Amino acid sequence: MKVLLIAGEVSGDLHASNLITSLRKINPKIEFYGVGGERMEKTGAKIIYPSSKISIVGFTEVFSKILNLREARRAIYLFLKRNKIDFAITVDFPGFNIQIARYLKSKKIPVFYFIPPQVWAWGRWRVKSLSKYFKHLFVLYPFEKEFFEKEGLKSSFLGNPLMDIVKIDKSSKREKEYHSEILIAILPGSRETEIKRLLIPMLRAFRIFRKKYPQSKGIVSLYTKEHLPLVLELTRGTLEDVEVLYGKTYEIFKDVDLALIASGTAAVEAALFQIPMVVMYRLSYLSWIISKFLVKVKNFSLVNILLSRKVVPELIQKEVNPLRISKEMEIVYENKEKIKEELKKIPKMLGNRGVYDRIASKIISMV
């Protein structure tokens, strides 16, 4: 049996690799191929195109990657001409994956969508494509299943994969330099464009906040080592007052009192650790203008969407400036206990462990 997986980003590569592991438990002889990164490759999948070359943020950023996207599509089409695939799994990355699914459907290859697009927030026009090209959708949140069911799409909520990924163990907390020390995590995102837009305002806000709370200590948390040269270039030797770590987000979260976070999954991860936070996002100007016409939700942070109200501050575009961020940090820190109580509700909304195994089992039963 041969399976094609397509993941266009770092998070997608992680989810795809974990799903491969679960599928192998059921059938060790499955051969995996696809678009992905190091994690998929480590599971034994044969990479036909690297996902690092097509990762995108926003609407207009696609233009800078258009040649790579075409190249990736050609690589997939060529692979499919030479190989017989039993089924395919696409992970997130809708702009690219829906096009590929259309081609796969024309070849009568069943396609499953793991982490479909957030059409409940924007892009409702994609509902028709999801219905036409995909055999089944596996969603991350219960409200998504309710939405797709109303639209007549077959979908399952079998739990959020964060319940498998996030290991919460607060028994081994780091020794703080001082008992009253306030540890602040700075997470500017997993993509270069996010880091370029968010890191400097976050750092400046932290330094303003520290004037009022001099016992504060900042830790910049990067997803991969590859982002370190970019961070050093952006900061130009001004990081002597903060610690920079990569690949240790959960270890950092065990100790953190407050976090500055790029909007996305990282905010939900922080919520699982009950970390009070300020969530922010910045797009290119044109992407922002487009989003104003397309986005249909009041809150953009998944934490607030899950809780159905604004529990943590959300800052976007011009609001993402040092003074505004630092003011929100003060408000959050002063109300940290109330926020923690609200964040305790989130784990119950995400299901139980064993998510990848349940999804793998469901897929195999449907093939």
Side-chain angles (χ1 to χ4, degrees), residues 12-62:
D13 181 45
L14 170 63
H15 293 310
S17 66
N18 288 338
L19 195 53
I20 288 171
T21 300
S22 291
L23 286 164
R24 278 222 170 92
K25 291 178 187 177
I26 300 170
N27 185 348
K29 294 183 179 180
I30 298 179
E31 296 177 25
F32 295 96
Y33 304 84
V35 174
E38 291 181 4
R39 289 188 173 95
M40 280 178 61
E41 197 167 22
K42 285 179 180 177
T43 63
K46 295 178 183 178
I47 304 299
I48 59 179
Y49 196 86
S51 57
S52 59
K53 294 177 71 173
I54 56 174
S55 180
I56 296 167
V57 178
F59 301 97
T60 59
E61 285 79 353
V62 67

Side-chain angles (χ1 to χ4, degrees), residues 101-281:
R102 180 171 58 188
Y103 181 82
L104 291 164
K105 182 68 182 289
S106 72
K107 299 299 180 182
K108 298 182 179 179
I109 298 170
V111 190
F112 299 92
Y113 210 147
F114 183 28
I115 315 177
Q118 297 174 341
V119 292
W120 43 268
W122 70 276
R124 201 181 182 93
W125 70 86
R126 284 175 165 161
V127 168
K128 188 176 180 180
S129 296
L130 293 175
S131 176
K132 188 183 292 186
Y133 306 133
F134 294 91
K135 185 177 180 69
H136 201 82
L137 312 179
F138 294 94
V139 302
L140 298 186
Y141 304 102
F143 67 84
E144 291 182 308
K145 177 175 170 56
E146 293 173 10
F147 171 86
F148 285 122
E149 281 182 347
K150 289 178 182 177
E151 295 292 335
L153 277 75
K154 296 178 181 178
S155 66
S156 297
F157 171 68
L158 301 178
N160 189 299
L162 289 179
M163 302 309 291
D164 284 347
I165 297 169
V166 178
K167 307 292 191 297
I168 302 175
D169 176 16
K170 295 193 175 184
S171 62
S172 56
K173 295 175 76 70
R174 287 169 31 150
E175 285 295 322
K176 293 186 177 183
E177 189 175 349
Y178 304 104
H179 181 69
S180 60
E181 188 176 61
I182 304 170
L183 290 176
I184 298 174
I186 299 170
L187 288 86
S190 61
R191 307 178 185 97
E192 284 192 9
T193 49
E194 291 176 315
I195 295 170
K196 287 177 180 178
R197 291 171 184 152
L198 297 176
L199 179 61
I200 298 304
M202 286 177 166
L203 284 171
R204 289 175 178 167
F206 159 70
R207 287 161 182 152
I208 294 171
F209 178 83
R210 191 175 54 190
K211 290 178 181 178
K212 183 170 182 178
Y213 299 94
Q215 70 273 39
S216 300
K217 179 178 179 180
I219 303 174
V220 176
S221 176
L222 305 176
Y223 279 82
T224 68
K225 187 178 182 180
E226 285 69 31
H227 290 146
L228 190 55
L230 173 63
V231 168
L232 295 175
E233 179 187 345
L234 291 171
T235 55
R236 298 184 180 181
T238 61
L239 287 173
E240 65 278 353
D241 59 340
V242 298
E243 191 175 355
V244 181
L245 300 174
Y246 56 84
K248 295 184 177 181
T249 301
Y250 299 152
E251 289 92 328
I252 293 168
F253 277 174
K254 289 189 295 185
D255 312 302
V256 164
D257 298 291
L258 174 64
L260 304 179
I261 302 183
S263 179
T265 304
V268 182
E269 293 173 315
L272 292 177
F273 284 84
Q274 297 166 32
I275 299 172
M277 69 191 87
V278 180
V279 182
M280 60 200 80
Y281 212 62

